[in-house]
């Protein structure tokens, strides 16, 4: 309705989080999206991941600054030095995993401060997660799944 332009939505057990490009803020809803509260820190996020163990810890992909982290529930954002240029990020109970435009998969086990490349997936365009498992979509019809934090990606559908 023109009030928000969500570039990312993340659901946790407690709330729904949206990266709003209209206000450059993270909006939070505790009632399924009927009402929203804006957090104070500004970031032009194209993707957002929430730590499943601590919803105040977030990692985002900022259009201008690259990878950014917040440890205060999106009250402030700090850039991550020497981070890979990621286009998609997902946080599972195992690790924080990111996808670069070239298909390289990176993992962080320290809330996004340091990263290591762990895999490469040809043609992958998006990541998803269901808590533990990660999913990678590649056009036109390939789906991969990782159950080990992004190290291995067997094909589960497509050719």
């Amino acid at each position: 309705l023109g009030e928000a332009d969500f570039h990312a939505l993340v659901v946790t057990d407690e709330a729904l989080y949206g990266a709003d490009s209209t206000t450059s803020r993270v909006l939070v809803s505790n009632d399924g999206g009927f009402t929203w509260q804006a957090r104070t820190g500004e970031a032009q996020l194209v993707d957002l991941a929430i730590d499943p163990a601590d919803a105040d810890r977030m990692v985002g992909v900022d259009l201008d600054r690259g990878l950014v982290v917040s440890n205060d529930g999106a009250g402030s954002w700090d850039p991550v030095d020497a981070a890979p240029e990621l286009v998609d990020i997902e946080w599972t109970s195992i690790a924080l995993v990111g996808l670069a435009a070239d298909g390289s998969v990176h993992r962080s086990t320290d809330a996004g401060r340091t990263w290591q490349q762990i895999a490469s997936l040809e043609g992958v365009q998006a990541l998803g997660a269901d808590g533990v498992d990660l999913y990678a979509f590649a056009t036109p019809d390939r789906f991969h799944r990782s159950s080990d934090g992004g190290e291995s990606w067997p094909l589960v559908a497509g050719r």
Side-chain angles (χ1 to χ4, degrees), residues 37-148:
Q37 294 181 338
R39 299 294 170 93
T40 57
E42 289 191 23
Q44 190 67 268
L45 301 179
V46 294
D47 201 12
L48 175 67
I50 311 289
D51 184 342
D54 179 0
D56 283 338
R57 191 176 330 177
M58 304 175 183
V59 175
V61 178
D62 184 281
L63 282 175
D64 299 321
R65 298 179 286 174
L67 206 64
V68 292
V69 297
S70 175
N71 290 306
D72 58 5
S76 62
W77 293 93
D78 297 312
V80 177
D81 295 331
E85 291 186 31
L86 302 175
V87 295
D88 200 347
I89 51 177
E90 293 291 337
W91 212 321
T92 71
S93 59
I94 297 173
L96 179 61
V97 177
L99 175 70
D102 66 0
S104 59
V105 178
H106 303 261
R107 180 172 57 196
S108 174
T109 56
D110 60 4
R113 290 186 297 275
T114 61
W115 293 83
Q116 69 178 53
Q117 182 176 341
I118 57 171
S120 185
L121 295 168
E122 185 177 327
V124 169
Q125 297 173 322
L127 292 178
D130 66 3
V132 175
D133 289 344
L134 289 155
Y135 300 89
F137 170 73
T139 57
D141 64 353
R142 289 183 298 134
F143 286 92
H144 300 267
R145 181 179 60 220
S146 175
S147 297
D148 58 9

Side-chain angles (χ1 to χ4, degrees), residues 6 8-20 26-30 36 39 48 50 54-56 58 73-74:
F6 291 120
L9 289 170
V10 178
V11 177
T12 68
D13 290 338
E14 295 83 31
L16 174 62
Y17 297 81
D20 178 22
V26 171
L27 303 181
V28 182
S29 175
N30 293 309
W36 295 89
R39 299 294 170 93
L48 175 67
I50 311 289
D54 179 0
D56 283 338
M58 304 175 183

